[in-house]
Amino acid sequence: MKITRITEKNAEYFRGEIDEYYGKGDAGRMCFGLIDDEENAVGAAVLDGESGDAAIRYFAIGDDHRKRGYGRFFMDEIVKSLSPVLFSRVIFCEFVGLTTEKSEALGFLSHCGFTIDEGSTRRSLYDMEDIIKAYPFGNGKLPAGERLIRGAAADEKLRANVSTIGEKLEADTGYIDSDFILSMKNRYGGIIVKEDEIRAMLGVERFEDGA
């Protein structure tokens, strides 16, 4: 068994598994494949580089090859292949509802040596149809004098203000993902300003069938 980076030369062998991810991320997206000695695809993984973290977006081993230790081997090889200069840790975040069922993903990662922490973050899942109906996509509107600015279109002054707010929140044990707010990935959110003052910031990320 060995791992390989998925590129245009070999993507067709993994496309059935990673169609949702391959070629659709930003410059920090990394796609890995696990192949056997006969060059057959065994598994695939997708990680996104985010501010020193390598975040696992997708990880799978083919049904015919599970329960043989290939998953742990694959994860170990991926971690070893990442540059310690660029990435200080590998992370995976799973949002769970009111359930007592054991998470298969977290159980696997724990077996691989990952530390499992329960976060304090709470998120709500919104229907994409409702989002598309709201401003600026639908007929909704903002209060008079307020503007919505896409994070990726923010000028240097506004970007600096967003970063400053993020730093102040961190100092007060709060949190805001300033990098995401200002990124191209935040296509459904943005920064609301009035008279050059930030009134609100919204980061909207696709998740399952909603956001």
Side-chain angles (χ1 to χ4, degrees):
M1 292 285 172
K2 62 181 179 180
I3 70 167
T4 183
R5 291 293 288 266
I6 298 177
T7 66
E8 285 299 326
K9 293 182 179 180
N10 60 8
E12 61 183 288
Y13 297 104
F14 303 94
R15 279 274 168 81
E17 300 297 327
I18 62 168
D19 280 348
E20 181 182 348
Y21 302 95
Y22 185 75
K24 299 176 183 178
D26 57 23
R29 174 152 291 180
M30 300 166 285
C31 298
F32 298 90
L34 179 66
I35 57 177
D36 63 18
D37 295 337
E38 283 74 44
E39 304 291 318
N40 297 311
V42 172
V46 178
L47 284 78
D48 284 343
E50 299 177 348
S51 302
D53 293 336
I56 301 170
R57 297 300 183 208
Y58 177 88
F59 185 94
I61 298 294
D63 291 341
D64 295 340
H65 298 87
R66 301 187 70 182
K67 307 299 183 183
R68 301 183 187 180
Y70 295 148
R72 182 166 186 171
F73 170 80
F74 191 21
M75 183 61 71
D76 287 346
E77 291 300 304
I78 290 173
V79 173
K80 287 191 294 187
S81 73
L82 298 174
S83 168
V85 176
L86 298 177
F87 304 106
S88 59
R89 60 180 183 168
V90 177
I91 64 171
F92 172 76
C93 184
E94 182 173 72
F95 295 95
V96 296
L98 300 176
T99 177
T100 58
E101 294 182 9
K102 183 178 179 180
S103 165
E104 181 180 5
L106 295 184
F108 166 71
L109 292 172
S110 179
H111 179 67
C112 291
F114 281 67
T115 299
I116 308 300
D117 294 321
E118 181 177 349
S120 59
T121 300
R122 297 291 180 266
R123 291 192 178 186
S124 298
L125 185 63
Y126 297 90
D127 191 295
M128 282 303 298
E129 290 186 6
D130 292 335
I131 292 175
I132 297 302
K133 291 177 183 177
Y135 179 88
F137 310 106
N139 296 321
K141 62 181 181 179
L142 292 173
E146 295 187 359
R147 298 180 296 135
L148 174 67
I149 299 176
R150 296 280 182 234
D155 59 26
E156 289 302 317
K157 181 180 178 180
L158 184 55
R159 297 179 75 88
N161 288 342
V162 170
S163 297
T164 298
I165 291 173
E167 291 169 1
K168 288 181 178 179
L169 280 173
E170 279 195 31
D172 294 331
T173 67
Y175 175 74
I176 181 173
D177 191 342
S178 302
D179 290 337
F180 180 77
I181 291 290
L182 295 168
S183 74
M184 291 288 292
K185 291 186 287 187
N186 190 22
R187 57 178 298 197
Y188 295 104
I191 307 158
I192 295 176
V193 299
K194 184 175 183 180
E195 297 177 353
D196 294 328
E197 179 185 355
I198 295 176
R199 293 300 180 93
M201 290 183 278
L202 182 66
V204 182
E205 187 170 12
R206 291 300 301 264
F207 186 77
E208 296 181 348
D209 295 327

